[in-house]
Amino acid sequence: MENFGMLSLLPPIVAIALCIITRQVIISLSIGAFVGIIVLVGGNPIIAFANIITTISDTVGNSWNASILLFTFLLGGYIALLGKSGGMQAIARSAVKFITSRSRGTIVTCLFSSLLFFSDYTSMILTGVVMRPITDRLRISREKLSYIVAGCGTGITALSPISGWTAYQVAIVGTAVTAVGMNEGAYTLFVKSIPYRFYGLFSVAFIYFICMQNRDFGKMYEAEKRAITTGHTFRPDSTPMGGIDDKEYCAPEGATLRAINFFVPMITMFVIMFIGFFITGGGMEKMAADGLLSVFASASTLWMMTVGVLAATIVLAIMMLVQKMMTFSEINDTWIGGMKSLVFTIVFMVLAWTLANVCKSLGTANYIVTALVESNFPGWALPTVVFVISGLMGFATGSSWGTMALVMPLAIPAATGLGAPVLATIGAVFTASTMGDHISPISESLVLSSMASGVDHMDHCMTQLPYALTAAGVSIIFGCIPAGLGVPSWISITAGLVVCWLIIRFVGKRTDDAAFGVQPVSVE
């Protein structure tokens, strides 16, 4: 590998700068990759243009990348069908009889969103659309609804070992570990890093704790007080966002709503996945010799996830046909429409891989590692520094995926070169990218949660900001720093959860009906 020195830093620097300046991730990744290829070919832009086309083609043609793209497309089609099946509407309708208080209303909203862990956008849209009439009746502010929708939707999906994020995150890790010659599988590292995604764990726990304790602070307290005492679930002089067609994400009019339309295909998907993991990982013989974890580490994970999603789609389609919810043609159109909706995501993934491959050819990671080692940078501080950098980038760009694509290929080589904990570093990149996206007003997911909840976008941003920053602070103090020093993750998680609970208990103020002398309202 030729040594390009400081020139190897040009692609990520250009891409990061353009992301922050233009807020256009696709263009920024494209230009960053193009700049890197110009360096590779000796400065000739014409030759570089021809080379970038070849590089993108090779990226898409890679068997591993092609498998990830196939999984992503199929998951998009399945999610579209699931939205039209009415399964989640049926679950929400059944849950109404258990919602006898504001606290139960918010907890059910959390659980509803958590059930949709496999897709953040689906979770945010369906939870907002289905639960909004119920939370309005309970005088729960739209700001609180959007906080739950955004936090649980993105937070749980980002933590899930099987979701719309999984393939992309595994691919980002895989590209980075290949560059440094690590032998451990990308999916194995991805799963092992989950206990080190402290912000994701603490922010989701924070939402549940807020709902369980019926306490709030900051601007959220004012929003809840307004909703309880005046009945205005959104600020009277605000501009609630709209634009989501509720019918697009609900069962056809007149269709019978059945919860089995959610549970049966989901159970099918997971049963087939895990049976496939077990068989392709070596089965009983491998488990007897090396243990169950070794079986899953050796499994054809991505392929079995793809088979599982396809099987769930077929089962759901058959159920909808038998129930006469939709015709075969309508089911097919919905399935294809779901895949079409992911074109932007697919383009994004391909360009992120292309930029990573260009950086690999330039030796960017090796140069960074050498520079850090020569500067005697303390390895224990790397997870914390990576967390802060990723969080700031996510906030500035409004893109968690873009931040992951730019930081991970640099963070993993730095961790291996400095002897820093690799899992904690991977976890810091993933979770801080989500955090930055979670507090950025220009984040697409934040805008979507505002639309789904029918709330003024800036009201949503400002009311959840103190909660997100509090969870981020706890993540650094009780998560990243101890993890860098070698403290086991379970100790950090336990301490962080206790601290989150205590902060809400002693900083938060009661926001139940009794606190303001108001009679409770039933959802019936």
Side-chain angles (χ1 to χ4, degrees):
M1 180 181 296
E2 188 175 348
N3 182 11
F4 289 88
M6 290 190 67
L7 288 177
S8 67
L9 298 177
L10 271 181
I13 288 175
V14 169
I16 291 170
L18 288 177
C19 274
I20 295 173
I21 294 169
T22 67
R23 310 289 200 269
Q24 300 296 320
V25 180
I26 294 292
I27 294 175
S28 301
L29 290 173
S30 302
I31 295 176
F34 183 64
V35 168
I37 291 180
I38 288 177
V39 175
L40 282 171
V41 300
N44 190 319
I46 297 176
I47 297 177
F49 185 79
N51 272 265
I52 195 170
I53 301 298
T54 303
T55 303
I56 292 174
S57 299
D58 291 343
T59 298
V60 176
N62 178 281
S63 60
W64 171 256
N65 293 346
S67 302
I68 290 171
L69 298 181
L70 176 61
F71 169 77
T72 304
F73 268 128
L74 291 176
L75 185 63
Y78 169 66
I79 289 169
L81 276 182
L82 195 65
K84 299 296 289 185
S85 72
M88 292 307 298
Q89 291 170 270
I91 294 172
R93 184 170 294 181
S94 300
V96 165
K97 59 184 177 182
F98 299 104
I99 302 176
T100 57
S101 65
R102 282 172 45 82
S103 179
R104 286 194 178 187
T106 54
I107 290 174
V108 167
T109 304
C110 292
L111 293 173
F112 190 95
S113 181
S114 301
L115 277 174
L116 295 161
F117 61 88
F118 48 85
S119 170
D120 55 333
Y121 281 13
T122 302
S123 176
M124 288 186 283
I125 292 170
L126 282 181
T127 304
V129 167
V130 174
M131 294 302 298
R132 189 168 62 207
I134 298 173
T135 55
D136 278 355
R137 178 63 178 162
L138 290 168
R139 295 183 302 220
I140 296 169
S141 68
R142 295 279 182 87
E143 290 92 335
K144 174 66 75 65
L145 174 62
S146 59
Y147 168 56
I148 297 172
V149 164
C152 286
T154 303
I156 293 178
T157 302
L159 289 169
S160 172
I162 300 175
S163 74
W165 288 45
T166 303
Y168 177 74
Q169 291 178 306
V170 169
I172 292 295
V173 172
T175 302
V177 297
T178 300
V180 296
M182 291 181 63
N183 294 323
E184 194 160 9
Y187 185 77
T188 303
L189 287 171
F190 165 80
V191 172
K192 286 183 177 180
S193 73
I194 292 176
Y196 294 92
R197 301 181 202 180
F198 299 111
Y199 174 80
L201 295 167
F202 295 153
S203 63
V204 171
F206 211 85
I207 296 172
Y208 275 92
F209 292 166
I210 285 280
C211 297
M212 291 165 63
Q213 294 193 43
N214 255 331
R215 291 177 178 272
D216 289 283
F217 57 86
K219 291 185 178 294
M220 188 69 80
Y221 173 80
E222 299 300 326
E224 286 289 88
K225 180 180 178 181
R226 179 203 67 230
I228 294 171
T229 58
T230 69
H232 296 303
T233 54
F234 53 86
R235 189 164 49 84
D237 57 344
S238 66
T239 306
M241 294 193 73
I244 289 181
D245 182 3
D246 296 3
K247 294 181 180 179
E248 184 180 347
Y249 300 95
C250 297
E253 190 173 348
T256 302
L257 304 180
R258 298 178 174 89
I260 59 171
N261 287 356
F262 174 82
F263 289 113
V264 170
M266 288 296 293
I267 292 171
T268 300
M269 179 172 68
F270 283 107
V271 168
I272 289 179
M273 281 183 183
F274 285 107
I275 290 176
F277 291 168
F278 188 77
I279 293 174
T280 61
M284 293 297 298
E285 183 178 348
K286 179 74 171 179
M287 185 173 70
D290 303 315
L292 184 60
L293 183 61
S294 177
V295 171
F296 284 98
S298 304
S300 299
T301 310
L302 187 58
W303 274 114
M304 294 318 303
M305 286 169 58
T306 304
V307 172
V309 169
L310 184 58
T313 303
I314 294 172
V315 168
L316 180 57
I318 292 173
M319 292 175 67
M320 295 172 72
L321 282 172
V322 171
Q323 296 167 21
K324 297 182 179 180
M325 294 186 68
M326 299 173 71
T327 66
F328 180 82
S329 178
E330 290 170 335
I331 289 174
N332 184 62
D333 290 344
T334 301
W335 182 61
I336 292 175
M339 290 192 286
K340 285 181 179 179
S341 68
L342 293 178
V343 169
F344 176 85
T345 301
I346 296 298
V347 172
F348 181 93
M349 292 169 71
V350 170
L351 289 175
W353 291 331
T354 301
L355 178 62
N357 287 335
V358 170
C359 288
K360 179 182 177 181
S361 298
L362 289 169
T364 305
N366 292 337
Y367 178 76
I368 289 175
V369 169
T370 301
L372 288 174
V373 170
E374 289 178 351
S375 66
N376 294 318
F377 186 87
W380 67 266
L382 187 64
T384 303
V385 172
V386 165
F387 182 93
V388 173
I389 292 173
S390 299
L392 291 174
M393 278 190 58
F395 174 78
T397 63
S399 172
S400 55
W401 281 28
T403 301
M404 294 173 193
L406 293 168
V407 178
M408 191 66 78
L410 308 179
I412 290 180
T416 57
L418 295 171
V422 174
L423 293 178
T425 303
I426 293 173
V429 175
F430 281 146
T431 198
S433 300
T434 305
M435 184 272 291
D437 177 87
H438 196 195
I439 63 176
S440 175
I442 62 173
S443 163
E444 183 180 353
S445 60
L446 216 59
V447 171
L448 188 61
S449 61
S450 296
M451 293 170 64
S453 304
V455 68
D456 185 288
H457 181 55
M458 289 311 299
D459 285 350
H460 170 36
C461 294
M462 297 309 296
T463 49
Q464 78 164 10
L465 182 62
Y467 293 168
L469 292 179
T470 300
V474 173
S475 300
I476 292 174
I477 296 172
F478 294 91
C480 294
I481 294 176
L485 294 170
V487 176
S489 61
W490 68 267
I491 295 178
S492 294
I493 293 172
T494 303
L497 292 177
V498 170
V499 170
C500 286
W501 179 275
L502 293 176
I503 289 173
I504 296 167
R505 175 63 181 81
F506 292 105
V507 177
K509 301 176 184 178
R510 285 176 54 198
T511 51
D512 52 10
D513 294 316
F516 299 101
V518 176
Q519 290 295 319
V521 177
S522 172
V523 296
E524 298 293 339

